[in-house]
Amino acid sequence: KVENETGETLILGSSEWVVIHSEKRRLVSAPDLYSITDGFHPEINFDTRLEKVEDFETDNTPYVLTPGFSQIDVNSHVNNTKYADYIYDAMTLEERKKLSYLCAMDIWFNYELREGDVFSIYKFSPDATTLCFSGIKDGESRSSFDLRLKFDLE
């Protein structure tokens, strides 16, 4: 939660953390491994869970890229903070103009991307106020990450 000097909430966020099993390279829920007293904050900011980005068809040419060494974290995969950078790079100039009206960003980490993995970002706009993205590694049918942007255009 980010507040201004008068205590007004400017940004409200929430996250659900998972850990990658070091040998199986699969996701494990962090609260299943650690108790709530291990530094997890018990406050819940939202009453409902985020609605996942649904699978979608697109006729857009994907944005293709390969992560380099500077985008890899200590766990040998792309750091989750890089996904927003990738999305912004994949947006058109017209789409980027909407960023000043951004009111929500939802990101899902599904499967890791590693240095040298070639992947494509596909996008879909179900309505004028929403833009959805899926990052899919070459040769895979499932998305490594999904991201949804919502804009307040009024």
Side-chain angles (χ1 to χ4, degrees), residues 19-28 33 75-77 112 114:
V19 177
I20 292 186
H21 190 284
S22 62
E23 294 170 5
K24 297 178 183 177
R25 305 304 289 183
R26 300 228 187 271
L27 299 178
V28 180
L33 298 175
N75 297 309
S76 300
H77 61 229
E112 67 183 346
R114 304 182 98 174

PDB file of all heavy atoms in Angstrom, residues 19-28 33 75-77 112 114:
ATOM      1  N   VAL A  19       7.171 -20.537  -4.727  1.00  0.00           N
ATOM      2  CA  VAL A  19       8.600 -20.833  -4.772  1.00  0.00           C
ATOM      3  C   VAL A  19       8.797 -21.915  -5.817  1.00  0.00           C
ATOM      4  O   VAL A  19       7.942 -22.788  -5.988  1.00  0.00           O
ATOM      5  CB  VAL A  19       9.075 -21.327  -3.382  1.00  0.00           C
ATOM      6  CG1 VAL A  19      10.543 -21.705  -3.404  1.00  0.00           C
ATOM      7  CG2 VAL A  19       8.798 -20.284  -2.316  1.00  0.00           C
ATOM      8  N   ILE A  20       9.910 -21.880  -6.514  1.00  0.00           N
ATOM      9  CA  ILE A  20      10.212 -22.941  -7.475  1.00  0.00           C
ATOM     10  C   ILE A  20      11.052 -23.996  -6.767  1.00  0.00           C
ATOM     11  O   ILE A  20      12.085 -23.683  -6.169  1.00  0.00           O
ATOM     12  CB  ILE A  20      10.960 -22.398  -8.704  1.00  0.00           C
ATOM     13  CG1 ILE A  20      10.031 -21.505  -9.505  1.00  0.00           C
ATOM     14  CG2 ILE A  20      11.491 -23.530  -9.561  1.00  0.00           C
ATOM     15  CD1 ILE A  20      10.583 -21.026 -10.808  1.00  0.00           C
ATOM     16  N   HIS A  21      10.586 -25.236  -6.839  1.00  0.00           N
ATOM     17  CA  HIS A  21      11.313 -26.360  -6.267  1.00  0.00           C
ATOM     18  C   HIS A  21      12.655 -26.463  -6.994  1.00  0.00           C
ATOM     19  O   HIS A  21      12.699 -26.503  -8.232  1.00  0.00           O
ATOM     20  CB  HIS A  21      10.504 -27.645  -6.439  1.00  0.00           C
ATOM     21  CG  HIS A  21      11.044 -28.813  -5.685  1.00  0.00           C
ATOM     22  ND1 HIS A  21      12.150 -29.506  -6.092  1.00  0.00           N
ATOM     23  CD2 HIS A  21      10.623 -29.380  -4.525  1.00  0.00           C
ATOM     24  CE1 HIS A  21      12.397 -30.477  -5.237  1.00  0.00           C
ATOM     25  NE2 HIS A  21      11.473 -30.411  -4.267  1.00  0.00           N
ATOM     26  N   SER A  22      13.753 -26.473  -6.259  1.00  0.00           N
ATOM     27  CA  SER A  22      15.084 -26.385  -6.867  1.00  0.00           C
ATOM     28  C   SER A  22      15.436 -27.577  -7.759  1.00  0.00           C
ATOM     29  O   SER A  22      16.228 -27.431  -8.683  1.00  0.00           O
ATOM     30  CB  SER A  22      16.155 -26.215  -5.788  1.00  0.00           C
ATOM     31  OG  SER A  22      16.162 -27.346  -4.935  1.00  0.00           O
ATOM     32  N   GLU A  23      14.872 -28.738  -7.495  1.00  0.00           N
ATOM     33  CA  GLU A  23      15.183 -29.908  -8.320  1.00  0.00           C
ATOM     34  C   GLU A  23      14.130 -30.169  -9.387  1.00  0.00           C
ATOM     35  O   GLU A  23      14.452 -30.447 -10.532  1.00  0.00           O
ATOM     36  CB  GLU A  23      15.339 -31.142  -7.429  1.00  0.00           C
ATOM     37  CG  GLU A  23      16.537 -31.046  -6.501  1.00  0.00           C
ATOM     38  CD  GLU A  23      16.563 -32.151  -5.457  1.00  0.00           C
ATOM     39  OE1 GLU A  23      15.708 -33.056  -5.505  1.00  0.00           O
ATOM     40  OE2 GLU A  23      17.438 -32.089  -4.585  1.00  0.00           O
ATOM     41  N   LYS A  24      12.849 -30.054  -9.020  1.00  0.00           N
ATOM     42  CA  LYS A  24      11.768 -30.344  -9.953  1.00  0.00           C
ATOM     43  C   LYS A  24      11.461 -29.170 -10.869  1.00  0.00           C
ATOM     44  O   LYS A  24      10.785 -29.323 -11.874  1.00  0.00           O
ATOM     45  CB  LYS A  24      10.496 -30.729  -9.190  1.00  0.00           C
ATOM     46  CG  LYS A  24      10.659 -31.996  -8.390  1.00  0.00           C
ATOM     47  CD  LYS A  24       9.389 -32.303  -7.626  1.00  0.00           C
ATOM     48  CE  LYS A  24       9.554 -33.521  -6.761  1.00  0.00           C
ATOM     49  NZ  LYS A  24       8.352 -33.788  -5.961  1.00  0.00           N
ATOM     50  N   ARG A  25      11.923 -27.952 -10.506  1.00  0.00           N
ATOM     51  CA  ARG A  25      11.673 -26.721 -11.260  1.00  0.00           C
ATOM     52  C   ARG A  25      10.170 -26.509 -11.449  1.00  0.00           C
ATOM     53  O   ARG A  25       9.712 -26.074 -12.478  1.00  0.00           O
ATOM     54  CB  ARG A  25      12.385 -26.709 -12.614  1.00  0.00           C
ATOM     55  CG  ARG A  25      13.873 -26.943 -12.592  1.00  0.00           C
ATOM     56  CD  ARG A  25      14.628 -26.006 -11.727  1.00  0.00           C
ATOM     57  NE  ARG A  25      14.706 -24.653 -12.244  1.00  0.00           N
ATOM     58  CZ  ARG A  25      15.393 -23.694 -11.646  1.00  0.00           C
ATOM     59  NH1 ARG A  25      16.039 -23.938 -10.542  1.00  0.00           N
ATOM     60  NH2 ARG A  25      15.400 -22.492 -12.153  1.00  0.00           N
ATOM     61  N   ARG A  26       9.388 -26.821 -10.426  1.00  0.00           N
ATOM     62  CA  ARG A  26       7.942 -26.631 -10.419  1.00  0.00           C
ATOM     63  C   ARG A  26       7.565 -25.680  -9.291  1.00  0.00           C
ATOM     64  O   ARG A  26       8.265 -25.565  -8.291  1.00  0.00           O
ATOM     65  CB  ARG A  26       7.221 -27.956 -10.214  1.00  0.00           C
ATOM     66  CG  ARG A  26       7.520 -28.980 -11.286  1.00  0.00           C
ATOM     67  CD  ARG A  26       6.209 -29.584 -11.760  1.00  0.00           C
ATOM     68  NE  ARG A  26       6.427 -30.691 -12.663  1.00  0.00           N
ATOM     69  CZ  ARG A  26       6.543 -30.584 -13.963  1.00  0.00           C
ATOM     70  NH1 ARG A  26       6.497 -29.414 -14.524  1.00  0.00           N
ATOM     71  NH2 ARG A  26       6.711 -31.642 -14.720  1.00  0.00           N
ATOM     72  N   LEU A  27       6.414 -25.017  -9.445  1.00  0.00           N
ATOM     73  CA  LEU A  27       5.939 -24.075  -8.442  1.00  0.00           C
ATOM     74  C   LEU A  27       5.416 -24.789  -7.201  1.00  0.00           C
ATOM     75  O   LEU A  27       4.757 -25.824  -7.307  1.00  0.00           O
ATOM     76  CB  LEU A  27       4.826 -23.211  -9.012  1.00  0.00           C
ATOM     77  CG  LEU A  27       5.178 -22.346 -10.209  1.00  0.00           C
ATOM     78  CD1 LEU A  27       3.947 -21.584 -10.674  1.00  0.00           C
ATOM     79  CD2 LEU A  27       6.296 -21.390  -9.885  1.00  0.00           C
ATOM     80  N   VAL A  28       5.737 -24.202  -6.042  1.00  0.00           N
ATOM     81  CA  VAL A  28       5.242 -24.672  -4.754  1.00  0.00           C
ATOM     82  C   VAL A  28       4.738 -23.436  -4.026  1.00  0.00           C
ATOM     83  O   VAL A  28       5.389 -22.389  -4.035  1.00  0.00           O
ATOM     84  CB  VAL A  28       6.366 -25.338  -3.935  1.00  0.00           C
ATOM     85  CG1 VAL A  28       5.850 -25.828  -2.594  1.00  0.00           C
ATOM     86  CG2 VAL A  28       7.007 -26.474  -4.712  1.00  0.00           C
ATOM     87  N   LEU A  33       5.215 -23.880   2.557  1.00  0.00           N
ATOM     88  CA  LEU A  33       6.575 -24.140   3.022  1.00  0.00           C
ATOM     89  C   LEU A  33       6.928 -23.369   4.288  1.00  0.00           C
ATOM     90  O   LEU A  33       7.736 -23.824   5.090  1.00  0.00           O
ATOM     91  CB  LEU A  33       7.584 -23.759   1.932  1.00  0.00           C
ATOM     92  CG  LEU A  33       7.504 -24.525   0.623  1.00  0.00           C
ATOM     93  CD1 LEU A  33       8.492 -23.942  -0.379  1.00  0.00           C
ATOM     94  CD2 LEU A  33       7.797 -25.996   0.847  1.00  0.00           C
ATOM     95  N   ASN A  75      17.990 -17.254  -9.200  1.00  0.00           N
ATOM     96  CA  ASN A  75      17.379 -18.571  -9.377  1.00  0.00           C
ATOM     97  C   ASN A  75      17.526 -19.076 -10.813  1.00  0.00           C
ATOM     98  O   ASN A  75      16.903 -20.061 -11.192  1.00  0.00           O
ATOM     99  CB  ASN A  75      15.897 -18.524  -8.996  1.00  0.00           C
ATOM    100  CG  ASN A  75      15.724 -18.181  -7.539  1.00  0.00           C
ATOM    101  OD1 ASN A  75      16.339 -18.795  -6.674  1.00  0.00           O
ATOM    102  ND2 ASN A  75      14.910 -17.186  -7.253  1.00  0.00           N
ATOM    103  N   SER A  76      18.307 -18.374 -11.613  1.00  0.00           N
ATOM    104  CA  SER A  76      18.614 -18.742 -12.999  1.00  0.00           C
ATOM    105  C   SER A  76      17.418 -18.675 -13.940  1.00  0.00           C
ATOM    106  O   SER A  76      17.361 -19.385 -14.935  1.00  0.00           O
ATOM    107  CB  SER A  76      19.245 -20.143 -13.068  1.00  0.00           C
ATOM    108  OG  SER A  76      20.437 -20.187 -12.329  1.00  0.00           O
ATOM    109  N   HIS A  77      16.439 -17.836 -13.602  1.00  0.00           N
ATOM    110  CA  HIS A  77      15.344 -17.598 -14.536  1.00  0.00           C
ATOM    111  C   HIS A  77      15.058 -16.109 -14.621  1.00  0.00           C
ATOM    112  O   HIS A  77      15.590 -15.316 -13.854  1.00  0.00           O
ATOM    113  CB  HIS A  77      14.086 -18.406 -14.186  1.00  0.00           C
ATOM    114  CG  HIS A  77      13.496 -18.103 -12.849  1.00  0.00           C
ATOM    115  ND1 HIS A  77      13.163 -19.075 -11.956  1.00  0.00           N
ATOM    116  CD2 HIS A  77      13.175 -16.948 -12.237  1.00  0.00           C
ATOM    117  CE1 HIS A  77      12.656 -18.538 -10.864  1.00  0.00           C
ATOM    118  NE2 HIS A  77      12.655 -17.252 -11.014  1.00  0.00           N
ATOM    119  N   GLU A 112       8.771 -20.873 -15.695  1.00  0.00           N
ATOM    120  CA  GLU A 112       9.961 -20.038 -15.809  1.00  0.00           C
ATOM    121  C   GLU A 112      10.469 -19.910 -17.245  1.00  0.00           C
ATOM    122  O   GLU A 112      10.315 -20.803 -18.060  1.00  0.00           O
ATOM    123  CB  GLU A 112      11.065 -20.559 -14.898  1.00  0.00           C
ATOM    124  CG  GLU A 112      11.621 -21.903 -15.286  1.00  0.00           C
ATOM    125  CD  GLU A 112      12.666 -22.407 -14.315  1.00  0.00           C
ATOM    126  OE1 GLU A 112      13.173 -21.643 -13.490  1.00  0.00           O
ATOM    127  OE2 GLU A 112      12.982 -23.603 -14.400  1.00  0.00           O
ATOM    128  N   ARG A 114      14.172 -18.904 -19.088  1.00  0.00           N
ATOM    129  CA  ARG A 114      15.586 -18.872 -18.737  1.00  0.00           C
ATOM    130  C   ARG A 114      16.378 -18.144 -19.827  1.00  0.00           C
ATOM    131  O   ARG A 114      15.882 -17.917 -20.924  1.00  0.00           O
ATOM    132  CB  ARG A 114      16.087 -20.291 -18.545  1.00  0.00           C
ATOM    133  CG  ARG A 114      15.255 -21.029 -17.487  1.00  0.00           C
ATOM    134  CD  ARG A 114      15.740 -22.395 -17.249  1.00  0.00           C
ATOM    135  NE  ARG A 114      16.580 -22.312 -16.054  1.00  0.00           N
ATOM    136  CZ  ARG A 114      17.112 -23.341 -15.463  1.00  0.00           C
ATOM    137  NH1 ARG A 114      16.931 -24.542 -15.944  1.00  0.00           N
ATOM    138  NH2 ARG A 114      17.852 -23.194 -14.396  1.00  0.00           N
TER     139      ARG A 114
END
